[in-house]
Amino acid sequence: MEYIPAIITAIGVIITAWFAYNQKTKDKMTDLKIEQIRAETAEKKKRRADNSAIVHGELWEALHELHADRVYIVQPHPLGNESMVSIYFESKRKGVESMKPKVQNLKMCECAAFCADMAKNLYMFFDDIDAQVKDRYAKSLLSACGTSKVAIKRLSDNTHDWVGSIFCEFTHDVEVNEDEVRATLHEVAMNVQYLLPEYKE
């Protein structure tokens, strides 16, 4: 009987040590998981930055190769529940007005017909904005920003969903080789559509 308190104390010490060891192991596992998440987040950020640089570079090249005035990407968002369009990527010539502030969180319902055309058509070319663009809002926006000709190339993801459209605009009166524009925009689309980061404010 006299050994019972000692035995209970010994068992208590063993249980306490076991719990302490168990907690320490859990803490180490938690720390490891946190470190893994941090490393993955840093890698994703680096990839996004690299991808963004590639997209900007492709637009800049197309701008100069085609002697365009503005080249930009209109992206639907939020992904999975698209209700707006915005521009994040844009290259333009010096002195040419930016489209970016005009197309920020623009509700699709305000230019529904034009958004539907962008989602459906692989490629569109308008060399007479007033006569050819049927959507009133889109026509007004393009005209107000001095667009005289515009080529639009659809971007798709792996499941062929519409993830954006590249706009190549000319504001000055210039002879445009449409075959060259189509081929260049197709190449740009192939280079950026799978890298295009999701639009986030």
Side-chain angles (χ1 to χ4, degrees):
M1 279 307 237
E2 60 198 61
Y3 299 113
I4 290 176
I7 292 169
I8 290 171
T9 303
I11 291 170
V13 169
I14 291 168
I15 290 171
T16 304
W18 184 81
F19 276 118
Y21 171 78
N22 220 13
Q23 189 59 48
K24 199 173 181 183
T25 305
K26 281 182 183 173
D27 290 347
K28 281 185 179 177
M29 289 301 289
T30 302
D31 289 345
L32 185 65
K33 282 180 184 171
I34 289 169
E35 203 48 51
Q36 276 180 315
I37 290 167
R38 278 192 190 135
E40 284 170 14
T41 303
E43 180 60 31
K44 274 183 192 170
K45 279 184 181 174
K46 185 185 180 307
R47 260 200 319 269
R48 272 195 207 113
D50 290 349
N51 290 351
S52 291
I54 291 167
V55 174
H56 278 297
E58 289 285 338
L59 296 185
W60 185 253
E61 260 184 60
L63 179 83
H64 288 283
E65 196 175 308
L66 298 171
H67 307 290
D69 294 300
R70 272 189 299 258
V71 180
Y72 56 89
I73 298 176
V74 171
Q75 289 180 258
H77 63 94
L79 281 185
N81 187 26
E82 293 82 358
S83 58
M84 292 178 278
V85 290
S86 291
I87 296 170
Y88 178 76
F89 298 97
E90 180 182 43
S91 287
K92 63 183 190 64
R93 290 198 179 277
K94 198 172 179 179
V96 174
E97 187 178 10
S98 173
M99 268 295 204
K100 205 171 181 177
K102 310 267 191 295
V103 186
Q104 283 312 93
N105 296 323
L106 176 63
K107 290 179 181 165
M108 283 190 185
C109 60
E110 291 182 16
C111 53
F114 199 69
C115 286
D117 284 342
M118 284 193 288
K120 284 188 293 192
N121 296 298
L122 286 175
Y123 177 81
M124 298 182 287
F125 183 79
F126 303 109
D127 59 3
D128 185 343
I129 303 299
D130 286 335
Q132 295 172 314
V133 177
K134 302 300 177 208
D135 186 282
R136 283 175 152 175
Y137 191 96
K139 181 191 295 190
S140 171
L141 185 61
L142 291 167
S143 296
C145 292
T147 306
S148 63
K149 296 177 177 69
V150 59
I152 304 166
K153 172 68 179 146
R154 182 184 193 270
L155 299 173
S156 306
D157 63 8
N158 291 325
T159 57
H160 306 292
D161 288 335
W162 174 54
V163 294
S165 294
I166 303 172
F167 280 62
C168 177
E169 294 184 358
F170 302 87
T171 60
H172 55 289
D173 196 25
V174 64
E175 200 61 46
V176 176
N177 181 335
E178 199 194 331
D179 290 335
E180 185 188 358
V181 172
R182 184 193 288 256
T184 301
L185 291 187
H186 176 73
E187 190 177 330
V188 172
M190 295 308 290
N191 292 341
V192 305
Q193 63 190 2
Y194 302 114
L195 302 175
L196 192 64
E198 180 183 345
Y199 177 83
K200 285 181 180 168
E201 291 181 70

